[in-house]
Amino acid sequence: MKNTIITLLSLLALGCQSKKEEAAAEPQSINESIVTLTEAQLKNAALATASPERKSISSVLKVNGQIDVPPQNLVSISMPLGGYLKSTKLLPGMHINKGEVIATMEDQQYVQLQQDYLTTKSRLYYAEKEYDRQKELNQNQASSDKVYQLADADYKTLRITLSALGEKLKLININPATLSEKNISKSVNVYAPITGFVSKVNVNIGKYVNPADVLFELINPTDIHLNLKVFEKDITQLAIGQKLVAYTNNQPENKHLCEIILISKDLSVDEHSAEVHCHFENYDKTLLPGMYMNAEIEVKSNNVLTLPEEAIVNYEGKDYVFIVVGKAQYKITEVTLGNKEKGFVEILNGDQLASDTVITKGAYTLLMKLKNKSDE
């Protein structure tokens, strides 16, 4: 019986000790909100005060997007009359200059078109002479009006036909002014309309292409830009001309300076985001269309309530300030912090402190005093 009583007392003692240890392990909390200093403590604390001040605080908006090419800098090359690809040496990524021959096409219809042009040109010469002759005879009453009008119609019809055939020749890069029976060719050249590089090659030697088929795609890199997606809540913070830095995932240390040149006025239905187009100040040839990039944009939060950073104390994961409530009396108040810049921090719930005097120096001394008071 005696042993049983001793065992029970031992278990009770262990239980009490365990509860004391658990209580000691629990994080301490601030039970009181006001700390009062004696005259001597106030003198030693060397406190300084200030009121919340309205300032413009910069913050960094992080967004992402991809490198894009404006429509005027992306050129699709096709053959308006179709034909067979005779030769080309283009490969994706190859640099080309404006006016350079990038392919040679051939087809019998090119020969027929040149023949029709030269034949019409010859007939027009005769029709013009006949028109002048009939006009003179008609003026002298030596020819009927009907004959003169017929000559006039033939002459005008041939002029129209010749002009139309000349425009068709220009479509296949043949100059009508230099065409003669001595230089009729079954082959025509395709020239690069821009200086840039080849992004796509869709044909091979000997392939027949239709007028609607795209042979090559060329890109002019001088105006490649960054197309960013910015959400609705952030779009109002941006403006044309605003600077930013962009970088790729593979080389985050390589920063590219950009400038906002266009902000879309249309939000996407799914994400409620708008497109923001940015121009690279110095284009890097390693940046390719379609490449994903991250961007950091410095934005201003105008006219927000701020306090010096040294006024903020952190305890148990929360931020506080001390406000003056009486002579040598200070009340701890929880605050929510925003952006920081140049030693000042934005107070998101600053409206409740707008008319208060806040301790800016010695706040941690007050925190220790209040903490020790709670522990007593």
Side-chain angles (χ1 to χ4, degrees):
M1 181 67 179
K2 184 179 181 180
N3 291 335
T4 302
I5 293 173
I6 292 173
T7 302
L8 291 172
L9 291 174
S10 300
L11 290 173
L12 289 172
L14 287 172
C16 293
Q17 183 179 357
S18 177
K19 288 181 179 180
K20 289 180 180 179
E21 291 176 354
E22 289 178 3
E26 290 180 357
Q28 296 176 346
S29 60
I30 299 175
N31 297 322
E32 298 188 27
S33 61
I34 295 179
V35 59
T36 303
L37 299 183
T38 64
E39 187 173 338
Q41 290 173 333
L42 183 61
K43 185 176 180 180
N44 293 330
L47 303 179
T49 62
S51 298
E53 183 180 355
R54 291 197 174 274
K55 287 180 174 289
S56 294
I57 296 289
S58 296
S59 61
V60 175
L61 176 63
K62 295 185 177 182
V63 294
N64 55 63
Q66 64 183 105
I67 299 175
D68 198 5
V69 181
Q72 63 269 25
N73 285 56
L74 178 62
V75 180
S76 297
I77 305 297
S78 59
M79 194 61 183
L81 300 184
Y84 293 91
L85 180 63
K86 181 181 179 181
S87 65
T88 185
K89 56 181 181 181
L90 293 192
L91 292 173
M94 182 180 292
H95 184 270
I96 48 94
N97 295 311
K98 184 177 181 178
E100 180 182 344
V101 176
I102 57 176
T104 301
M105 306 290 297
E106 65 177 18
D107 197 272
Q108 62 179 3
Q109 64 176 318
Y110 306 154
V111 178
Q112 184 64 50
L113 182 58
Q114 294 169 80
Q115 178 185 340
D116 293 343
Y117 179 83
L118 293 175
T119 301
T120 303
K121 186 177 181 181
S122 178
R123 290 174 58 196
L124 179 63
Y125 177 78
Y126 171 79
E128 184 179 8
K129 297 300 181 182
E130 179 64 17
Y131 167 74
D132 291 338
R133 185 165 47 253
Q134 292 299 328
K135 182 179 180 181
E136 183 178 353
L137 290 172
N138 184 261
Q139 289 175 348
N140 296 327
Q141 303 297 319
S143 175
S144 66
D145 291 343
K146 182 178 179 180
V147 175
Y148 166 68
Q149 291 170 357
L150 183 61
D152 180 46
D154 287 342
Y155 173 56
K156 290 181 178 178
T157 299
L158 289 173
R159 283 180 59 186
I160 295 171
T161 303
L162 187 70
S163 179
L165 290 171
E167 292 301 314
K168 285 186 177 181
L169 288 173
K170 292 177 183 179
L171 285 175
I172 57 175
N173 300 314
I174 294 178
N175 186 0
T178 60
L179 180 63
S180 68
E181 67 277 7
K182 295 180 181 180
N183 59 4
I184 294 177
S185 174
K186 64 179 179 179
S187 301
V188 297
N189 292 328
V190 180
Y191 300 93
I194 61 169
T195 296
F197 59 89
V198 182
S199 63
K200 290 183 181 179
V201 177
N202 300 322
V203 290
N204 53 269
I205 304 299
K207 183 176 181 179
Y208 181 82
V209 293
N210 295 303
D213 294 339
V214 176
L215 284 71
F216 316 103
E217 285 189 4
L218 310 180
I219 291 178
N220 181 357
T222 57
D223 199 27
I224 281 181
H225 63 258
L226 179 60
N227 185 3
L228 299 174
K229 282 188 177 181
V230 180
F231 290 107
E232 177 183 4
K233 64 182 179 65
D234 300 318
I235 199 69
T236 56
Q237 301 180 74
L238 306 183
I240 293 175
Q242 199 166 351
K243 305 294 184 180
L244 59 103
V245 293
Y247 53 91
T248 62
N249 290 328
N250 295 331
Q251 294 181 311
E253 73 285 352
N254 190 8
K255 307 292 186 181
H256 302 274
L257 295 178
C258 303
E259 179 182 337
I260 296 177
I261 58 173
L262 179 65
I263 300 175
S264 174
K265 304 299 181 183
D266 185 29
L267 296 175
S268 64
V269 178
D270 297 334
E271 299 179 339
H272 272 264
S273 62
E275 292 184 350
V276 176
H277 298 271
C278 311
H279 178 74
F280 289 99
E281 293 192 357
N282 295 302
Y283 173 66
D284 189 338
K285 293 182 179 179
T286 62
L287 301 178
L288 303 177
M291 185 178 289
Y292 286 97
M293 297 194 77
N294 302 305
E296 295 179 356
I297 310 172
E298 186 176 286
V299 295
K300 288 282 186 182
S301 299
N302 294 321
N303 203 27
V304 296
L305 280 172
T306 64
L307 283 171
E309 287 188 59
E310 59 183 344
I312 312 300
V313 294
N314 185 276
Y315 183 72
E316 296 293 341
K318 295 182 179 180
D319 296 302
Y320 300 90
V321 296
F322 282 91
I323 61 175
V324 179
V325 293
K327 185 176 181 180
Q329 287 189 324
Y330 311 95
K331 181 180 180 181
I332 191 168
T333 304
E334 186 177 349
V335 292
T336 305
L337 306 184
N339 298 307
K340 299 178 181 180
E341 184 184 27
K342 297 178 181 179
F344 285 85
V345 58
E346 177 186 2
I347 309 299
L348 297 179
N349 59 336
D351 290 339
Q352 67 187 42
L353 305 174
S355 59
D356 292 325
T357 301
V358 180
I359 299 299
T360 57
K361 184 178 180 182
Y364 270 102
T365 301
L366 296 178
L367 178 64
M368 292 301 102
K369 174 69 175 174
L370 188 62
K371 181 174 178 284
N372 292 334
K373 183 179 178 182
S374 299
D375 292 340
E376 293 175 356

